[in-house]
Coordinates of all heavy atoms in Angstrom, one line a residue:
M88 N 64.7 3.4 40.2 CA 65.9 3.4 41.1 C 67.1 4.1 40.4 O 67.7 4.9 41.0 CB 66.3 1.9 41.4 CG 67.5 1.8 42.2 SD 67.2 1.9 44.0 CE 68.6 1.1 44.6
R89 N 67.2 3.9 39.1 CA 68.4 4.5 38.4 C 68.3 6.0 38.4 O 69.3 6.7 38.6 CB 68.4 3.9 37.0 CG 69.5 4.6 36.1 CD 69.6 3.9 34.8 NE 70.9 3.3 34.8 CZ 71.2 2.1 34.5 NH1 70.4 1.2 34.3 NH2 72.4 1.7 34.5
G90 N 67.1 6.6 38.2 CA 66.9 8.0 38.2 C 67.2 8.6 39.5 O 67.8 9.7 39.6
R91 N 66.9 7.9 40.6 CA 67.2 8.5 42.0 C 68.7 8.5 42.2 O 69.2 9.4 42.7 CB 66.5 7.6 43.0 CG 66.7 8.1 44.4 CD 66.0 7.3 45.4 NE 66.0 5.9 45.2 CZ 65.4 5.0 45.9 NH1 64.7 5.4 46.9 NH2 65.4 3.7 45.6
L92 N 69.4 7.4 41.7 CA 70.8 7.4 41.9 C 71.5 8.5 41.0 O 72.5 9.1 41.5 CB 71.4 6.0 41.5 CG 70.9 4.9 42.3 CD1 71.5 3.6 41.8 CD2 71.3 5.1 43.8
Q93 N 70.9 8.8 39.9 CA 71.5 9.9 39.0 C 71.3 11.2 39.7 O 72.1 12.1 39.7 CB 70.8 9.9 37.7 CG 71.4 11.0 36.8 CD 70.8 10.9 35.4 OE1 70.0 10.1 35.1 NE2 71.2 11.9 34.6
H94 N 70.1 11.4 40.4 CA 69.9 12.7 41.1 C 70.8 12.8 42.2 O 71.3 13.9 42.5 CB 68.4 12.7 41.6 CG 67.4 13.0 40.5 ND1 66.6 12.0 40.0 CD2 67.1 14.1 39.9 CE1 65.9 12.6 39.1 NE2 66.2 13.8 39.0
R95 N 71.1 11.7 42.9 CA 72.1 11.8 44.0 C 73.5 12.2 43.5 O 74.1 13.0 44.1 CB 72.2 10.4 44.7 CG 71.4 10.2 45.8 CD 71.9 9.0 46.6 NE 70.8 8.1 46.9 CZ 70.9 6.9 47.2 NH1 72.0 6.3 47.2 NH2 69.8 6.2 47.5
R96 N 73.9 11.6 42.4 CA 75.2 11.9 41.8 C 75.2 13.4 41.4 O 76.2 14.1 41.7 CB 75.4 11.0 40.6 CG 76.8 11.2 40.0 CD 77.1 10.2 38.9 NE 76.0 10.3 37.8 CZ 76.0 11.3 36.9 NH1 76.8 12.3 37.0 NH2 75.0 11.3 36.0
L97 N 74.2 13.9 40.7 CA 74.1 15.3 40.3 C 74.2 16.2 41.4 O 74.9 17.3 41.4 CB 72.9 15.5 39.4 CG 72.9 14.9 38.0 CD1 71.5 15.0 37.4 CD2 74.0 15.4 37.1
L98 N 73.4 15.9 42.5 CA 73.4 16.8 43.7 C 74.8 16.8 44.3 O 75.3 17.9 44.6 CB 72.3 16.3 44.7 CG 72.3 17.1 46.0 CD1 71.9 18.5 45.7 CD2 71.3 16.4 46.9
G99 N 75.4 15.7 44.4 CA 76.7 15.6 45.0 C 77.7 16.4 44.2 O 78.6 17.1 44.8
E100 N 77.7 16.3 42.9 CA 78.6 17.0 42.0 C 78.4 18.5 42.2 O 79.4 19.3 42.2 CB 78.4 16.6 40.6 CG 78.9 15.2 40.3 CD 78.6 14.7 38.9 OE1 78.0 15.5 38.1 OE2 79.0 13.6 38.5
T101 N 77.2 18.9 42.3 CA 76.9 20.3 42.4 C 77.4 20.8 43.8 O 78.0 21.9 43.9 CB 75.3 20.6 42.3 OG1 74.9 20.1 41.0 CG2 75.0 22.1 42.5
I102 N 77.1 20.1 44.8 CA 77.6 20.5 46.2 C 79.1 20.6 46.2 O 79.7 21.6 46.7 CB 77.1 19.6 47.3 CG1 75.6 19.7 47.4 CG2 77.8 19.8 48.6 CD1 74.9 18.7 48.3
R103 N 79.8 19.6 45.6 CA 81.3 19.6 45.5 C 81.8 20.9 44.7 O 82.7 21.6 45.2 CB 81.8 18.4 44.9 CG 83.3 18.4 44.7 CD 83.9 17.1 44.1 NE 83.8 16.0 45.0 CZ 83.1 14.9 44.8 NH1 82.5 14.7 43.6 NH2 83.1 13.9 45.7
E104 N 81.1 21.1 43.6 CA 81.5 22.3 42.8 C 81.4 23.6 43.5 O 82.2 24.4 43.5 CB 80.6 22.3 41.5 CG 80.8 23.5 40.6 CD 79.8 23.4 39.5 OE1 79.8 22.5 38.7 OE2 79.0 24.4 39.4
K105 N 80.2 23.7 44.2 CA 80.0 25.0 45.0 C 80.9 25.1 46.2 O 81.4 26.2 46.5 CB 78.5 25.0 45.5 CG 77.5 25.0 44.4 CD 77.5 26.2 43.5 CE 76.3 26.2 42.5 NZ 76.3 27.4 41.7
R106 N 81.2 24.0 46.8 CA 82.1 24.0 48.0 C 83.5 24.4 47.5 O 84.2 25.2 48.1 CB 82.2 22.6 48.6 CG 83.2 22.4 49.7 CD 83.3 21.1 50.3 NE 83.6 20.0 49.4 CZ 84.9 19.7 48.9 NH1 85.9 20.5 49.3 NH2 85.1 18.7 48.1
K107 N 84.0 23.8 46.4 CA 85.3 24.2 45.9 C 85.3 25.6 45.4 O 86.3 26.3 45.6 CB 85.7 23.2 44.8 CG 86.1 21.8 45.3 CD 86.6 20.9 44.2 CE 87.1 19.6 44.9 NZ 87.7 18.8 43.9
G108 N 84.3 26.1 44.8 CA 84.2 27.5 44.4 C 84.2 28.4 45.6 O 84.7 29.5 45.5
A109 N 83.8 28.0 46.7 CA 83.8 28.8 48.0 C 85.1 28.6 48.7 O 85.3 29.1 49.8 CB 82.6 28.4 48.9
Q110 N 86.0 27.7 48.1 CA 87.3 27.4 48.7 C 87.2 26.9 50.1 O 87.9 27.2 51.0 CB 88.2 28.6 48.6 CG 88.5 29.1 47.2 CD 89.4 30.3 47.1 OE1 89.5 31.1 48.1 NE2 90.2 30.4 46.1
L111 N 86.3 25.9 50.2 CA 86.1 25.2 51.5 C 86.5 23.8 51.4 O 86.2 23.1 50.4 CB 84.6 25.3 51.9 CG 84.0 26.7 52.3 CD1 82.5 26.5 52.5 CD2 84.7 27.2 53.5
S112 N 87.1 23.2 52.4 CA 87.3 21.8 52.5 C 86.0 21.1 52.9 O 85.1 21.8 53.4 CB 88.4 21.5 53.5 OG 88.0 21.9 54.8
Q113 N 86.0 19.8 52.8 CA 84.8 19.1 53.3 C 84.7 19.3 54.8 O 83.6 19.4 55.3 CB 84.9 17.6 52.9 CG 84.7 17.3 51.5 CD 84.7 15.8 51.2 OE1 85.3 15.0 52.0 NE2 84.2 15.4 50.1
E114 N 85.8 19.3 55.4 CA 85.8 19.5 56.9 C 85.2 20.8 57.3 O 84.4 20.9 58.2 CB 87.2 19.4 57.5 CG 87.8 18.0 57.3 CD 88.4 17.7 56.0 OE1 88.5 18.6 55.1 OE2 88.8 16.5 55.8
K115 N 85.6 21.9 56.6 CA 85.1 23.2 56.9 C 83.6 23.3 56.6 O 82.9 23.9 57.4 CB 85.9 24.3 56.1 CG 85.7 25.7 56.6 CD 86.1 25.8 58.0 CE 86.1 27.3 58.5 NZ 86.5 27.4 59.9
L116 N 83.2 22.8 55.5 CA 81.8 22.8 55.1 C 81.0 22.0 56.2 O 79.9 22.5 56.7 CB 81.5 22.2 53.8 CG 80.0 22.0 53.4 CD1 79.3 23.4 53.4 CD2 79.9 21.4 52.0
A117 N 81.5 20.9 56.6 CA 80.8 20.1 57.6 C 80.7 20.8 58.9 O 79.6 20.9 59.6 CB 81.5 18.8 57.8
E118 N 81.7 21.5 59.3 CA 81.7 22.3 60.5 C 80.7 23.4 60.5 O 79.9 23.6 61.4 CB 83.1 22.9 60.7 CG 83.3 23.7 62.0 CD 84.7 24.3 62.1 OE1 85.7 23.5 61.9 OE2 84.8 25.5 62.3
R119 N 80.7 24.2 59.3 CA 79.7 25.3 59.2 C 78.3 24.8 59.2 O 77.4 25.5 59.6 CB 80.0 26.0 57.9 CG 81.2 26.9 57.9 CD 81.4 27.6 56.6 NE 82.5 28.5 56.6 CZ 82.7 29.4 55.7 NH1 81.9 29.6 54.7 NH2 83.8 30.2 55.8
A120 N 78.1 23.6 58.6 CA 76.7 23.1 58.4 C 76.3 22.3 59.7 O 75.1 21.9 59.8 CB 76.6 22.2 57.2
G121 N 77.2 22.0 60.6 CA 76.8 21.2 61.8 C 76.6 19.7 61.4 O 75.7 19.1 62.0
L122 N 77.3 19.3 60.4 CA 77.2 17.9 59.9 C 78.5 17.2 60.0 O 79.5 17.9 60.1 CB 76.6 17.9 58.5 CG 75.3 18.5 58.3 CD1 75.0 18.7 56.8 CD2 74.2 17.7 58.9
S123 N 78.6 15.9 59.8 CA 79.8 15.2 59.8 C 80.6 15.3 58.5 O 79.9 15.3 57.4 CB 79.7 13.7 60.3 OG 79.2 13.0 59.2
T124 N 81.9 15.2 58.5 CA 82.7 15.2 57.3 C 82.4 13.9 56.5 O 82.3 14.0 55.3 CB 84.2 15.2 57.7 OG1 84.4 16.4 58.5 CG2 85.0 15.3 56.4
V125 N 82.2 12.8 57.2 CA 81.8 11.6 56.5 C 80.5 11.7 55.7 O 80.4 11.3 54.6 CB 81.7 10.4 57.5 CG1 81.2 9.1 56.8 CG2 83.1 10.1 58.1
F126 N 79.5 12.4 56.3 CA 78.3 12.6 55.7 C 78.4 13.5 54.4 O 77.9 13.1 53.4 CB 77.3 13.2 56.6 CG 75.9 13.5 56.0 CD1 75.0 12.5 55.7 CD2 75.5 14.8 55.7 CE1 73.8 12.8 55.1 CE2 74.3 15.1 55.1 CZ 73.4 14.0 54.9
I127 N 79.2 14.6 54.5 CA 79.4 15.4 53.4 C 80.1 14.7 52.3 O 79.7 14.8 51.1 CB 80.3 16.7 53.8 CG1 79.5 17.6 54.8 CG2 80.7 17.5 52.6 CD1 78.3 18.2 54.3
S128 N 81.1 13.9 52.6 CA 81.8 13.1 51.6 C 80.8 12.1 50.9 O 80.9 12.0 49.7 CB 82.9 12.3 52.3 OG 83.5 11.4 51.4
R129 N 80.0 11.4 51.7 CA 79.0 10.5 51.1 C 78.0 11.2 50.2 O 77.7 10.6 49.1 CB 78.3 9.7 52.2 CG 79.3 8.7 52.9 CD 78.6 7.8 53.9 NE 77.5 7.0 53.3 CZ 77.5 5.9 52.6 NH1 78.7 5.4 52.3 NH2 76.4 5.3 52.2
V130 N 77.6 12.3 50.6 CA 76.6 13.1 49.8 C 77.3 13.5 48.5 O 76.8 13.4 47.4 CB 76.1 14.3 50.5 CG1 75.3 15.3 49.6 CG2 75.2 13.9 51.7
E131 N 78.5 14.0 48.6 CA 79.3 14.5 47.4 C 79.5 13.3 46.4 O 79.6 13.5 45.2 CB 80.6 15.2 47.7 CG 80.4 16.6 48.3 CD 81.7 17.3 48.5 OE1 82.8 16.8 48.2 OE2 81.6 18.5 48.9
R132 N 79.7 12.1 46.9 CA 80.0 11.0 46.1 C 78.7 10.3 45.6 O 78.7 9.3 44.8 CB 80.8 10.0 46.8 CG 82.3 10.5 47.0 CD 83.1 9.4 47.7 NE 82.8 9.3 49.1 CZ 82.5 8.2 49.7 NH1 82.6 7.0 49.1 NH2 82.2 8.2 51.0
G133 N 77.5 10.8 46.0 CA 76.3 10.3 45.6 C 75.9 9.0 46.3 O 75.0 8.2 45.8
K134 N 76.5 8.7 47.4 CA 76.3 7.5 48.2 C 75.1 7.7 49.2 O 74.6 6.7 49.7 CB 77.5 7.1 48.9 CG 78.7 6.8 48.0 CD 78.4 5.6 47.1 CE 79.7 5.3 46.3 NZ 79.4 4.3 45.3
E135 N 74.8 8.9 49.5 CA 73.8 9.2 50.5 C 72.9 10.4 50.0 O 73.5 11.3 49.4 CB 74.4 9.4 51.8 CG 73.4 9.4 52.9 CD 74.0 9.2 54.3 OE1 75.2 8.7 54.4 OE2 73.4 9.5 55.3
S136 N 71.6 10.3 50.3 CA 70.7 11.4 50.0 C 70.5 12.2 51.3 O 70.1 11.7 52.3 CB 69.4 10.9 49.5 OG 69.5 10.3 48.3
P137 N 70.8 13.5 51.2 CA 70.6 14.4 52.4 C 69.1 14.6 52.6 O 68.3 14.7 51.6 CB 71.3 15.7 52.1 CG 71.3 15.7 50.6 CD 71.4 14.3 50.1
S138 N 68.7 14.7 53.9 CA 67.3 15.1 54.2 C 67.1 16.6 53.7 O 68.1 17.3 53.5 CB 67.0 15.0 55.7 OG 67.8 15.9 56.4
V139 N 65.9 17.0 53.7 CA 65.7 18.5 53.4 C 66.4 19.3 54.4 O 67.0 20.4 54.1 CB 64.2 18.7 53.3 CG1 63.9 20.2 53.2 CG2 63.5 18.0 52.2
D140 N 66.3 18.9 55.7 CA 67.0 19.7 56.7 C 68.5 19.8 56.5 O 69.1 20.9 56.6 CB 66.7 19.1 58.1 CG 65.3 19.3 58.6 OD1 64.6 20.2 58.0 OD2 64.9 18.6 59.5
S141 N 69.1 18.7 56.2 CA 70.6 18.6 55.9 C 70.9 19.4 54.7 O 71.9 20.2 54.7 CB 71.1 17.2 55.8 OG 70.9 16.5 57.0
L142 N 70.1 19.3 53.7 CA 70.3 20.1 52.4 C 70.2 21.6 52.7 O 71.1 22.4 52.2 CB 69.3 19.7 51.4 CG 69.6 20.2 49.9 CD1 70.9 19.8 49.4 CD2 68.5 19.7 49.0
A143 N 69.3 22.0 53.5 CA 69.2 23.4 53.9 C 70.4 23.9 54.7 O 70.9 25.0 54.5 CB 67.9 23.6 54.7
K144 N 70.9 23.0 55.6 CA 72.1 23.4 56.3 C 73.4 23.5 55.4 O 74.2 24.4 55.5 CB 72.4 22.3 57.4 CG 71.5 22.3 58.5 CD 71.8 21.2 59.5 CE 70.9 21.1 60.7 NZ 71.2 20.1 61.6
I145 N 73.5 22.6 54.4 CA 74.6 22.7 53.5 C 74.5 23.9 52.6 O 75.5 24.7 52.5 CB 74.6 21.4 52.6 CG1 75.0 20.2 53.4 CG2 75.5 21.6 51.4 CD1 74.7 18.9 52.7
A146 N 73.3 24.2 52.1 CA 73.1 25.4 51.3 C 73.4 26.7 52.1 O 74.2 27.6 51.6 CB 71.6 25.5 50.8
K147 N 73.0 26.8 53.4 CA 73.2 27.9 54.2 C 74.7 28.1 54.5 O 75.3 29.2 54.4 CB 72.5 27.8 55.5 CG 72.6 29.0 56.4 CD 71.8 28.9 57.6 CE 72.0 30.2 58.5 NZ 71.2 30.1 59.7
A148 N 75.4 26.9 54.7 CA 76.8 27.0 55.0 C 77.6 27.4 53.7 O 78.7 28.0 53.9 CB 77.3 25.6 55.4
L149 N 77.1 27.2 52.6 CA 77.7 27.7 51.3 C 77.2 29.1 50.9 O 77.7 29.6 49.9 CB 77.3 26.7 50.2 CG 78.0 25.3 50.3 CD1 77.4 24.4 49.3 CD2 79.5 25.4 50.1
G150 N 76.3 29.6 51.7 CA 75.8 31.0 51.3 C 74.8 30.9 50.1 O 74.8 31.9 49.4
L151 N 74.1 29.8 50.0 CA 73.3 29.6 48.8 C 71.8 29.3 49.3 O 71.6 29.0 50.4 CB 73.7 28.4 48.0 CG 75.2 28.5 47.4 CD1 75.6 27.2 46.8 CD2 75.3 29.6 46.4
F152 N 70.9 29.3 48.3 CA 69.6 28.8 48.5 C 69.5 27.4 48.1 O 70.3 27.0 47.2 CB 68.5 29.6 47.7 CG 68.4 31.1 48.1 CD1 68.9 32.1 47.3 CD2 67.7 31.4 49.3 CE1 68.8 33.4 47.7 CE2 67.6 32.7 49.7 CZ 68.1 33.7 48.9
V153 N 68.7 26.6 48.7 CA 68.6 25.2 48.3 C 68.3 25.0 46.8 O 68.9 24.2 46.1 CB 67.4 24.5 49.1 CG1 67.2 23.1 48.5 CG2 67.8 24.4 50.6
R154 N 67.5 25.9 46.3 CA 67.2 25.8 44.8 C 68.4 25.9 43.9 O 68.4 25.4 42.8 CB 66.1 26.9 44.4 CG 66.6 28.3 44.5 CD 65.5 29.3 44.0 NE 65.9 30.6 44.2 CZ 65.5 31.4 45.2 NH1 64.6 30.9 46.1 NH2 65.9 32.6 45.3
E155 N 69.5 26.6 44.4 CA 70.7 26.7 43.6 C 71.5 25.4 43.6 O 72.3 25.2 42.7 CB 71.6 27.8 44.2 CG 71.0 29.2 44.1 CD 71.8 30.3 44.8 OE1 72.7 30.8 44.1 OE2 71.5 30.5 46.0
L156 N 71.2 24.5 44.5 CA 71.8 23.2 44.6 C 71.1 22.1 43.8 O 71.6 21.2 43.3 CB 72.0 22.7 46.0 CG 72.8 23.5 46.9 CD1 72.9 23.0 48.3 CD2 74.3 23.6 46.4
V157 N 69.8 22.4 43.6 CA 68.9 21.4 42.9 C 68.5 21.9 41.5 O 67.7 21.2 40.8 CB 67.7 20.9 43.7 CG1 68.2 20.2 45.0 CG2 66.8 22.1 44.1
R158 N 68.9 23.0 41.1 CA 68.5 23.6 39.8 C 68.9 22.6 38.7 O 70.0 22.1 38.7 CB 69.2 24.9 39.6 CG 68.8 25.6 38.3 CD 69.5 26.9 38.1 NE 68.9 27.8 39.2 CZ 69.6 28.8 39.8 NH1 70.9 28.9 39.5 NH2 69.0 29.5 40.7
G159 N 68.0 22.4 37.8 CA 68.3 21.6 36.6 C 67.9 20.1 36.7 O 68.1 19.4 35.7
F160 N 67.4 19.7 37.8 CA 66.9 18.3 37.8 C 65.8 18.1 38.8 O 65.3 18.9 39.4 CB 68.0 17.3 38.2 CG 68.7 17.5 39.5 CD1 68.3 16.8 40.6 CD2 69.8 18.3 39.6 CE1 69.0 17.0 41.8 CE2 70.5 18.5 40.8 CZ 70.1 17.8 41.9

């Protein structure tokens, strides 16, 4: 369980870093990805794990490949 929670936290931190690097608010990222702002917030805080489909939408909205969000873990 602990490893899964760490992965969630790392993924959330990476998404937040990439979002801020793209100068996007959580609201703008959510809009581009077709997801809710609450969901983006929960993912960034490591409280929720995105499905593969949601992760792909987030990556596309950031102009990235999924592998760029999960690299290193």
Side-chain angles (χ1 to χ4, degrees):
M88 177 90 157
R89 178 173 243 124
R91 181 175 41 181
L92 295 178
Q93 182 178 357
H94 284 105
R95 265 195 228 163
R96 186 180 53 77
L97 290 171
L98 177 60
E100 289 173 1
T101 301
I102 290 170
R103 179 179 287 123
E104 176 185 299
K105 300 293 187 181
R106 175 181 60 77
K107 287 185 174 188
Q110 299 181 331
L111 294 174
S112 65
Q113 286 182 341
E114 293 80 7
K115 193 63 172 176
L116 175 58
E118 182 183 309
R119 286 184 178 189
L122 301 166
S123 77
T124 303
V125 171
F126 179 73
I127 296 295
S128 174
R129 289 185 55 78
V130 168
E131 285 189 359
R132 290 181 290 129
K134 301 294 182 188
E135 192 158 344
S136 294
S138 67
V139 173
D140 290 340
S141 293
L142 190 56
K144 289 177 180 181
I145 291 168
K147 184 175 180 179
L149 290 169
L151 302 170
F152 294 106
V153 170
R154 69 176 173 259
E155 294 174 89
L156 298 178
V157 297
R158 182 177 292 145
F160 59 94

